[in-house]
Amino acid sequence: MVKLTIDGRQTEAKEGAMVLDAARALNIYIPTLCAHESVSAYGACRLCTVDITTRSGRNRMVTSCLYPVEEGLAVKTTTEKIAAHRRMLIQLLLARCPESPELKAMAKKLGADDTPFPKEDPAKNHNCILCALCTRACDEVVGQSAISFVNRGVAREMAIPFYNDSDACIACGSCFYICPTNAIQMTDKNGKRRFVMPHNTMEFELAQCAQCGRYHLPKRQIAWMAKKSGQPLEFFARCISCREEVRL
Amino acid sequence: MKLTAQQLKNKIKPILGKNHNDPAMLVSILQDTQTELGYLPRKALAEIHKELNIPLTQVYGVATFFKAFSLEPRGRHQIQVCMGTACHVRGAEKILDTVERELGIMPGENDKDLRFSLETVNCVGACALGPIVIVDGDYAGEMKIDKVKPLLKNYK
């Protein structure tokens, strides 16, 4: 175990744990947009920036989601400097996606009413802040890597290959659930699941429950589940409610 | 040059072999593929994705990341006009204008019969020879407006 202080409070954390997690274990609030316990840390939004002083007396700002705990580390999560830094960051994000309600709420929390920077056209980024939560979820949790970043620099955006190759996608919707700014929309309608991504749309067929007849899962996801679990396809022919009933 | 699926496979196989079928060599594989085919066709990327057993998103992400890779067909001859500082003060702008007018294309485009692709570069390290035009890796230094047409004539 590693001993460190966060906002003056002594604490212990496992070696290799990140400062963000150690702070959260103490119920200390650090704002984040791109952090999620299900995927690896990435450091895209940088809102979790904190002030650290190492044992040797070096002082600097780091992203707490990517900084491992150290013996004798002194962390400050809410200094004037940090607050100003976070305000600037959220203002920049807000300039990128000026209409995102989630970013507006975060900005308010961090003490910024509006952004002083020139706002980009909302149709350009479609509320996507390139936090990579969706691509990490698709890669690390689902294991399909159906979406990724394409292009570079200011042209970087999240999309499927060639903007129309959705072969790897199983339509599970993990990206939709994890997106911190709701940049991905998912709707089930008329037996189809439709995704509206920032730069492309996809449509997949849903399967009907053999018993109650409701559309319960995308066909591709069923095939994926059968492959991963080793259960026969017929096992997933009925929806989860109908299956549970039988077991009772 | 239209390739059948089998021909494409046969072209890519040795490239992968040369790079030990190693996903870490992806950039090198894409470079070799582009040298071989002139650009990176969609089917070639799909083939590399299948053979190396890596996600297509990874191949596509790398191919779009680097400016050196082209996903669109390019001309048989690559023209690069240097717009670096030294070439600029010696009139690179006018040379580029002339090339553009001669071929009827802008930087980043191909001409209609895919004879030439035109792009600008920022300094090729031969400033004493400026303004410089490079065609297929051959340097043509001390370019003048009336030297453009004869130069392009050498390439069919």
Side-chain angles (χ1 to χ4, degrees), chain B residues 88-133:
Chain B
H88 174 78
V89 296
R90 291 175 189 217
E93 204 72 41
K94 281 180 191 153
I95 303 291
L96 180 64
D97 278 352
T98 315
V99 178
E100 283 172 1
R101 206 165 335 109
E102 206 59 54
L103 301 176
I105 55 173
M106 297 296 283
E109 295 177 352
N110 311 314
D111 61 356
K112 247 186 273 157
D113 49 1
L114 281 188
R115 186 167 148 223
F116 289 113
S117 296
L118 176 62
E119 61 181 19
T120 59
V121 289
N122 298 314
C123 197
V124 292
C127 304
L129 294 174
I132 289 189
V133 174

Side-chain angles (χ1 to χ4, degrees), chain A residues 139 143-146 161 168, chain B residues 26 49 52-61:
Chain A
D139 179 24
Q144 287 300 107
S145 284
Chain B
L26 183 55
H49 137 71
L52 293 184
N53 204 12
I54 52 174
L56 182 58
T57 45
Q58 195 184 334
V59 184
Y60 185 70

Side-chain angles (χ1 to χ4, degrees), chain B residues 1 18 22 27 34 37 39 44-45 56 65 71 73-74 98-99 119 124 128-129 143 145-147 156:
Chain B
M1 180 178 58
K18 198 179 124 205
D22 183 359
V27 172
Q34 175 152 313
L37 304 172
Y39 73 111
L45 296 188
L56 182 58
F65 184 88
L71 297 180
R74 293 193 305 172
T98 315
V99 178
E119 61 181 19
V124 292
L129 294 174
M143 280 304 290
I145 290 171
D146 47 8
K147 275 164 109 185
K156 294 288 165 222

Side-chain angles (χ1 to χ4, degrees), chain B residues 126 128-134 138-144 147 151:
Chain B
L129 294 174
I132 289 189
V133 174
I134 305 164
D138 295 331
Y139 289 55
E142 294 174 1
M143 280 304 290
K144 297 204 166 68
K147 275 164 109 185
L151 175 74

